Every structure is written in structure tokens, then in C-alpha cells.
Amino acid sequence: MSIKNEMQDAINDQIQAEMFSAYLYLSMASWFDDEDLPGFSNWMRCQYMEETMHAMKFFNFLNDRGGRAELKPLEGPDTKWNSYIEAFEAVVKHEEYISGRINKLVTLSRKLEDYATESFLMWYVDEQVEEEDSANEILSKVKRIKTDSNGLFMLDKELASRALSPAAVPTILAQPII
Ligand code: FEO
């Protein structure tokens, strides 16, 4: 059964929100580069790619359900923050906003008795728990460090080790890499 227009429209809005998330984290990656914190920038670059993967999962799902992804314009994200704490507070706030949006999509899928979409959305429900948790964890660390430059150096080293999950790549590409 093809996806209903109301559900498709809501998912297209979510693709826009996920792409905005990608844009926001890429903007943060640029700011952290400028702050000479390559590990923080690496974390944000991975986040940017993960958000692209989140958008592409929706894109592929619409295609699988006989629907169509329609891309909408993106607003420009903020380009600088007053402190590292403020930047990570913005990440936490943004992820909470995205979790709220996912919950509303679940509510809509139930209202429309679209159980295929409801089942598909459970991946995002779980993912948002992880997204909020990792953002909160880094925010706590940044708050503890405050102005301790050694602590900042150590955290930057820790964040440099984050790598994109290989599972994300086939989601983004239509064809497997040969
Ligand atoms: Fe796609 Fe960070 O939520």
C-alpha cells in the first residue's frame, strides 16, 4: 500500500529538519576548526554525516513506499557561539527538538493506521535516545572543564577518535561501492 499524502508531507518536512541538523553541525565543525579544536570539529563532522544518513533513510523509505522525497530550502544555521558550553547546549536543545518531531511523526502514523511507517520510525525513536545521551555527556564534560586548558586538550583528543559508522554509507549511496 502506497504511503498517504499526509504522512509523506510530514516525512518530507522531517527530511528538511534532518538536513538542517546536518547543516548546523557542519557549521559547528567549521567554528571548532577556527577555535583550533580539531577533535571537536571531527565529532561535529561525524554528526553532520550521521544527520545526512538520517535524512537519507527517510528519503529511501519514501521511495520504497511508492512516495517521493521533495527537498525544501534550508535556513542558514548560526555560525558562532559564545562558548563551548553554549555550543553544546545548542546541540542538546536541537536534539530534544528533533526527538519531539519524531514523536509527533509516530503519533501521526498511528492516527493514519500506517503501521509500516510506525515500525520504521522506531529506529529513530531509539536513535534519538542515543543522540540526546551523547550530546548531554559531552555538555557535562565541557561544563566540568570550563577554562582548564589541559582538560580541554584531553577532551579534544577523545572526540578526535569518533568515526562514522560504516553502516551509514550504504544508506547514503544508491549503489554499493564496488
Ligand atoms: Fe537526526 Fe541528531 O537527529
Side-chain angles (χ1 to χ4, degrees):
M1 193 196 301
S2 288
I3 196 160
K4 291 186 177 131
N5 282 344
E6 193 178 351
M7 196 73 242
Q8 174 173 292
D9 290 347
I11 290 178
N12 274 321
D13 286 344
Q14 189 61 23
I15 290 174
Q16 181 189 36
E18 299 288 352
M19 290 306 289
F20 177 80
S21 306
Y23 220 35
L24 172 65
Y25 297 136
L26 192 59
S27 182
M28 286 184 172
S30 171
W31 183 66
F32 278 118
D33 266 338
D34 207 35
E35 293 286 306
D36 295 325
L37 289 168
F40 280 76
S41 180
N42 173 64
W43 192 91
M44 289 297 173
R45 285 162 194 251
C46 289
Q47 196 65 14
Y48 152 73
M49 288 189 278
E50 274 210 359
E51 297 301 352
T52 307
M53 183 266 280
H54 293 171
M56 289 307 294
K57 270 179 93 79
F58 279 119
F59 183 104
N60 294 339
F61 178 71
L62 283 181
N63 198 30
D64 291 347
R65 293 285 313 281
R68 188 166 186 271
E70 285 172 6
L71 303 185
K72 300 177 179 198
L74 298 178
E75 275 183 28
D78 287 344
T79 53
K80 56 180 183 239
W81 292 267
N82 291 318
S83 66
Y84 309 135
I85 292 177
E86 190 185 284
F88 275 92
E89 280 173 346
V91 175
V92 169
K93 199 169 153 213
H94 186 70
E95 289 304 329
E96 287 172 351
Y97 163 70
I98 294 292
S99 298
R101 291 190 61 109
I102 297 292
N103 291 344
K104 282 188 186 145
L105 286 176
V106 173
T107 304
L108 180 63
S109 69
R110 286 179 182 162
K111 190 188 107 187
L112 298 174
E113 298 183 351
D114 182 346
Y115 302 115
T117 298
E118 183 186 344
S119 170
F120 170 75
L121 287 169
M122 290 305 120
W123 183 88
Y124 288 88
V125 172
D126 294 341
E127 177 74 359
Q128 281 311 118
V129 173
E130 235 179 81
E131 291 275 88
E132 286 189 35
D133 183 51
S134 59
N136 269 309
E137 193 183 310
I138 300 171
L139 175 60
S140 301
K141 287 180 180 171
V142 173
K143 277 182 175 168
R144 235 177 288 143
I145 288 165
K146 285 194 184 134
T147 54
D148 169 13
S149 60
N150 197 41
L152 194 63
F153 174 75
M154 295 303 289
L155 182 56
D156 192 59
K157 241 176 127 181
E158 183 189 322
L159 298 182
S161 66
R162 182 179 180 187
L164 184 69
S165 135
V169 178
T171 311
I172 295 172
L173 300 174
Q175 300 292 328
I177 303 168
I178 297 168

